[in-house]
Amino acid sequence: MFEAAGKSLFVHNLKADIASSPSQALVSDVLFAIAKYERANILQKSGAVCKSLRQLGRYVGGRTLFGKEAVVSEETGKKTTLVDNEAEKEVIKFIRRSFLRGKSGHRIAMDLNAAGYRTRDGKLFESKQVCRILEREGLRQIQRKVS
């Protein structure tokens, strides 16, 4: 890997170039595999923590889900709590009712746009957005199981 790029990696504790012998290459491969495992493990744990905090109504950063908004705390001056966005909840109710009447994601998006509803960014709804909302609401799985 390093030779192809014209580079070498010197591991101080091994006191050798890792490509100088097969055993040193093995040690480096094991170390790289452990580092990859640790990165994946940290991502998995932090993702689980963020998910549980969101379920508790805590804002953990980034863009909030459609139907929620982050509220600034008076004590800290930072966004800390998630609350329902009533206007967006109305859109979700519209989507839910339409889906339960048998409409497709594409048809629901067309109906939302015709009724004057817009996304948070002021754009037209697309079927992909409608399908994501349905999945979060637990309705998309119903359709997949029935089909």
Side-chain angles (χ1 to χ4, degrees):
M1 171 169 86
F2 293 107
E3 299 85 14
K7 306 287 182 191
S8 70
L9 177 65
F10 186 84
V11 180
H12 182 71
N13 291 351
L14 297 178
K15 302 203 184 319
D17 182 352
I18 65 167
S20 63
S21 74
S23 60
Q24 304 240 325
L26 173 65
V27 169
S28 70
D29 287 348
V30 169
L31 291 174
F32 289 137
I34 291 170
K36 184 176 179 180
Y37 165 79
E38 286 297 326
R39 279 192 302 274
N41 205 16
I42 289 168
L43 281 172
Q44 182 182 24
K45 287 179 182 178
S46 62
V49 168
C50 288
K51 184 177 179 179
S52 65
L53 286 173
R54 282 189 194 101
Q55 288 173 342
L56 293 171
R58 299 291 312 269
Y59 176 70
V60 292
R63 189 173 177 131
T64 59
L65 296 176
F66 192 80
K68 297 284 186 183
E69 62 183 313
V71 177
V72 176
S73 167
E74 292 179 12
E75 297 168 6
T76 63
K78 296 181 180 178
K79 295 178 180 178
T80 57
T81 308
L82 287 176
V83 297
D84 289 342
N85 179 315
E86 294 305 321
E88 292 177 356
K89 284 291 182 186
E90 286 301 315
V91 174
I92 293 172
K93 286 178 187 175
F94 183 99
I95 292 170
R96 177 184 280 274
R97 282 192 306 268
S98 298
F99 179 78
L100 293 175
R101 289 185 187 127
K103 293 185 180 182
S104 68
H106 180 72
R107 182 74 237 172
I108 296 170
M110 289 174 56
D111 290 349
L112 282 167
N113 296 330
Y117 291 111
R118 296 294 178 260
T119 66
R120 188 179 286 170
D121 299 329
K123 297 179 181 175
L124 296 175
F125 277 92
E126 296 179 9
S127 62
K128 187 187 304 184
Q129 294 162 308
V130 170
C131 290
R132 274 193 223 121
I133 291 169
L134 287 169
E135 284 179 9
R136 275 199 309 272
E137 293 294 306
L139 293 174
R140 193 76 177 158
Q141 289 116 5
I142 293 170
Q143 184 185 39
R144 288 187 183 141
K145 288 178 185 175
V146 172
S147 299

